[in-house]
Each structure stands twice: as structure tokens, then as C-alpha cells.
Amino acid sequence: MLGVALALAASVSWGISDFIGGLQTRRFAALSVLLVSQPVGLVLAFGVALAIGADPLSTADFLLAAAAGGAVVLGSISVVSMIGALGVLVPVVGGIVQGEEPGGLQAVGAAVAIPAVVLVARDPDPEWRAASRNSVGLAALAALGFGIFFLLIDEVAESDPAWTIAAARVGGVTLLGAAALYARPKLPRARGRVLAAL
């Protein structure tokens, strides 16, 4: 029951984050939004891991989780929602390639859930069909980033979840730092409401 409650809380948190982040990217570049929000997530993740006395990760698990965090940040920077939602296919295909055999209920769930994610994420704008090749490429990159995150984070699933999330944030913030050095985006001005939302 605790797992279900945590999963629902995570879904609500991701939904709120995506909604507020999406609103902010109308005013600021996605990279700028992430450069403010992701370090805050990193500090919070480390705080939780230290507060609950979590067991540290092995070097291999830390690197996998950090790579997962980098992949999901890459997806967040480049997301175009409809195609980006197809990232759920990566862990499904990855599991099958690794020899997992989904049961009947799991297969039905995937058959319903994957099209549902795409339909929910579909942009209602009637001009979506006119998306440029660049947009489609970025969306495919986003899908790959999200999918790789799910696949890699599953590999570390047996390790301590608090430090796994902290390590993922380290990977994400590191990638963002490198992107910021390259792109030199304008950061949002230090106004209370803007920073609070981010």
C-alpha cells in the first residue's frame, strides 16, 4: 500500500512540476528554467537522503543513476510532448530484450497505457502537423532521454531510493552546467514569484 501511495504522490509531483515548468518556459528558455529548478531538487534530494540516514550507493549504481538523471534532463530540455511521450516504449522494449516476459495483464496494461500517454500528451493545436523536422527530432530525443531514464533507474532500483534520486540529480545538474557553459542562457531575474514558481 505504501508503494501505491508513493507512486501516486510521485505522479502528482511530476504533474505539478511539468505544468508549472511548462508555464515558465513560455517566459524563459527551457534551459534557464531547468538551471534554476534542478539545483533546488538536488539540494532537496541530498537533504532527504541525509535526513533519513540512507545507505550510500556503490560507484556503479551512482554512475547509472547519474546517467539516468542526465538522460531525463536531456529529455526535459528537448521535449515536444506528443512524440516525447513515446519514451515509455524504451523501458518496455528494453525489458523484453533483456528476457522479461510480460504476463497477459501486463501486456493489456501496456497496450492501453502507451496509446493513452500519447493521447493525453497530444498537443491540441491544429498546427501540430506542420511541426518542423527539427521539432520532431527534438521530440524523438526527448522520448529517448525519458526512456533511458526509466531503463537505467530500474537497474538501480534495488539500491537506496533516496541516494538514487540524489545521484540522478547530480547527473542532471552536471549536464545542465555543461549546457549552460555552451549556450550561456539568460537566467530569470531574482523576483520572488518567478523564483518561487521555478
Side-chain angles (χ1 to χ4, degrees):
M1 193 61 167
L2 177 61
V4 172
L6 289 173
L8 288 172
S11 295
V12 170
S13 296
W14 276 91
I16 291 170
S17 171
D18 287 349
F19 177 75
I20 294 174
L23 289 178
Q24 293 304 314
T25 58
R26 292 180 180 177
R27 300 172 63 191
F28 308 105
L31 181 57
S32 299
V33 170
L34 290 169
L35 280 168
V36 175
S37 63
Q38 292 296 308
V40 172
L42 173 61
V43 170
L44 290 174
F46 266 97
V48 169
L50 290 170
I52 65 175
D55 295 327
L57 301 178
S58 68
T59 302
D61 284 349
F62 180 88
L63 292 174
L64 276 174
V72 80
V73 162
L74 183 64
S76 298
I77 291 172
S78 57
V79 70
V80 177
S81 57
M82 184 177 150
I83 298 171
L86 293 174
V88 297
L89 292 175
V90 175
V92 171
V93 171
I96 291 170
V97 167
Q98 292 174 356
E100 292 181 18
E101 295 180 11
L105 188 59
Q106 292 169 319
V108 169
V112 171
I114 291 170
V117 167
V118 173
L119 288 172
V120 167
R122 183 182 175 277
D123 188 345
D125 185 348
E127 300 298 316
W128 70 275
R129 293 180 186 276
S132 68
R133 287 184 182 178
N134 188 39
S135 296
V136 173
L138 287 174
L141 184 63
L144 186 62
F146 290 126
I148 289 171
F149 170 79
F150 294 130
L151 197 59
L152 292 180
I153 216 72
D154 183 59
E155 292 295 318
V156 194
E158 300 302 317
S159 301
D160 187 274
W163 280 116
T164 298
I165 296 303
R169 291 290 183 179
V170 167
V173 170
T174 301
L175 181 67
L176 283 171
L181 287 173
Y182 175 76
R184 306 221 182 252
K186 290 183 179 178
L187 292 176
R189 291 184 181 175
R191 290 182 297 205
R193 280 190 207 167
V194 171
L195 291 180
L198 293 174

